[in-house]
Amino acid sequence: MLKYLLASVALLVATPLAAQPAAAPELVTVIHAGTLIDKPGTAPRRNSSVIVRGRTIAEVRDGFVDVPGARVVDLRSATVLPGLIDSHVHLRGLDDRLRARLEENQRDNEDNAYTALSNARKTLLAGFTTVRDLGGDPRLILSLRDGINAGEIPGPTIIGAGRGISVSGGHGDARNGVNRELATLPSGGNTCNGADDCRRAVREQVGAGADVIKFAATGGVLSNVPGGLNQQMMDDEMRAIVQTAKMFDRKVAAHAHGVNGVNAALRAGVDSIEHGTFTNEESFRLYKQTGAYYVPTLLAPAAALADGVRGALTPAQFEKAKAAAGNAEKSFAEAIKRGVKIAFGTDTGVSPHGRNAEEFALMVKNGMSPALAIRSATVDAAELLGLSARIGTIEPGKDADFIAVDGDPTQNVRLLERVGFVMKSGRVHKLGGARQLTSAD
Ligand SMILES: [Zn+2]
C-alpha cells in the first residue's frame, strides 16, 4: 500500500520535473452512462456523465455532457458500475489442478510468474480491477503488484499477503506429503511454531513487502495432509500474529474452516475470516462483536469437489473437499440471515482465473440479493481492504476504475459474468466486449 502511494506520488512529481518543456496534457475521458450504479447498495442514477482526468474521477454530472477535447465513451445503453474487487485470489501458478500436479517438479518460479501475468490480465478483463492475493511467492506477487501500479503490465490493483503463515504440518507447509528428498528442502511455506516464532513470521512478510498478513487457523482442503479442517494453530500463536501485524499497521486475514478455528481467529481479533465453512451461534456473536468480515469463497469448495471427482486430488485432499463442499453454502445462508458483514472473495486459483464473477450466482442462490452481492464486491470489499478512500464507489477524487454490462445486474447478477467494458486507472482495457491493446500491453 505504502509502496503504491509512493509510486503514485513519484509519477505525479516526475511529470513537471521531466526534461520536456511542456508535459503532455492529461487525457480527459467522458463516460456517458445510461444507468450508473455509482454507490452500490443505493438507487442508481439515470443518464449521467462521469468525467475522468488522468487516472482519477474528476466529476459525476446529470445528463450526457460534452467536454471540449475529451474522448467520449458511449455507454448510454449500458449499466456502469465501479470496478469489482475480489478479496481472495491466488494469482501465482496454474489453476488446472491436474496439470499443476503433473508439472509441479518441472516448473520454476519464472514459469509461475508468467502464468501469474496471464492470470492478472484475465482477472482485469473479467471486470476485477482490484484483488487481494492471499498467499504465493512474495517476490513474484509483489513485483507483479508494483509493475501493474507503474502501468507496465495490465492487471488489477493488488493487495498482497506475500506468503501465508501456517504451523508445521498445517495448511501452508509445502513439505506436507512430499517424498523424502523433497522433504529435506527448505520449506516453501512460512511456517511458525510458538508465539515468538509466529511474531517472526509476520515481521518477515512485512519486511518482504506484504500489504496484509494471512495465516491458516485451521487445516485446508488442498494441503496434502490428512489432518482434517479443524483448528491447528494455537490461540496464543494467533494472538501473537494479530498483535504483531497491528504494530506494523497491517490487517490480518485468517483462513478458517472448522468452527473452533473460526471462533478462535475471531477472538484473536482478525479483520476477516476466509472460507468460514463451519459456524455456530458463537461465531455469529463474534462476527457481530468484532466487526470482522466473512469472505465466503463459495466457488472454491465447488471447484475442489469437482477436481476430486475427476481424479485431480490426492485422497487426503478429496476427503477434505467433500467435507467443505457439504457445509460452505449452509454457513453462508445462515450468515446472510444474521446480517454478518460479507466481503466478496472467491479463492480463484482453486477455480479458474477470469471466472471470479461466477461467485455472484452462488451468493444469490443462497439468499443474498443481487444488489447486496454487488455491494459486497465494491463498497464492502473496499472497506475490508482499507481502500474506501480510493475505490468501491464512483465519486470525484477516486480511482477511475469502472466496468459496464448490458442490462440490469441488480435483476440478473449473472450479467456480471459478461463484462463489456473495463477501465482501470483511466485506461480503457475492454470496450464492446473486446480487449483494447495499449502501449503498455
Ligand atoms: Zn486461498
Side-chain angles (χ1 to χ4, degrees), residues 12 60 76 179 182 199 219 236 356 428:
L12 291 173
V60 182
R76 284 177 296 178
N179 68 27
L182 288 174
R199 293 183 182 99
D236 67 328
N356 315 52
V428 176

Side-chain angles (χ1 to χ4, degrees), residues 52 175 210 222 253 288 343 352 394 415 426 429:
V52 174
R175 290 169 298 194
L222 293 184
K288 286 287 179 65
I394 299 176
L415 294 174
H429 290 274

Side-chain angles (χ1 to χ4, degrees), residues 303-361:
L305 185 65
D307 277 341
V309 169
R310 74 184 178 110
L313 300 186
T314 66
Q317 293 171 327
F318 193 20
E319 277 311 304
K320 292 181 287 179
K322 284 188 267 190
N327 209 69
E329 294 188 21
K330 277 184 221 156
S331 265
F332 176 79
E334 201 56 40
I336 297 287
K337 289 186 207 144
R338 309 303 184 96
V340 172
K341 285 161 70 178
I342 292 173
F344 182 99
T346 62
D347 208 0
T348 291
V350 174
S351 54
H353 292 279
R355 290 169 54 180
N356 315 52
E358 291 176 14
E359 178 88 10
F360 287 113

Side-chain angles (χ1 to χ4, degrees), residues 88-90 134-135 171 214 255 274-275 297 347-348 350:
H88 190 142
V89 302
H90 301 275
L134 286 186
H171 184 49
K214 154 88 176 289
H255 156 108
E274 310 297 315
H275 318 304
T297 71
D347 208 0
T348 291
V350 174

Side-chain angles (χ1 to χ4, degrees), residues 189-249:
N190 182 18
T191 54
C192 71
N193 296 286
D196 249 355
D197 196 29
C198 290
R199 293 183 182 99
R200 171 205 52 81
V202 172
R203 291 168 182 145
E204 275 185 14
Q205 292 314 302
V206 173
D211 304 302
V212 60
I213 296 301
K214 154 88 176 289
F215 74 85
T218 71
V221 172
L222 293 184
S223 35
N224 188 19
V225 59
L229 293 171
N230 279 323
Q231 180 175 353
Q232 292 174 351
M233 184 176 271
M234 297 293 175
D235 292 4
D236 67 328
E237 292 170 326
M238 294 192 213
R239 282 197 302 271
I241 287 176
V242 172
Q243 188 187 21
T244 311
K246 298 293 168 200
M247 286 177 173
F248 287 96
D249 203 19

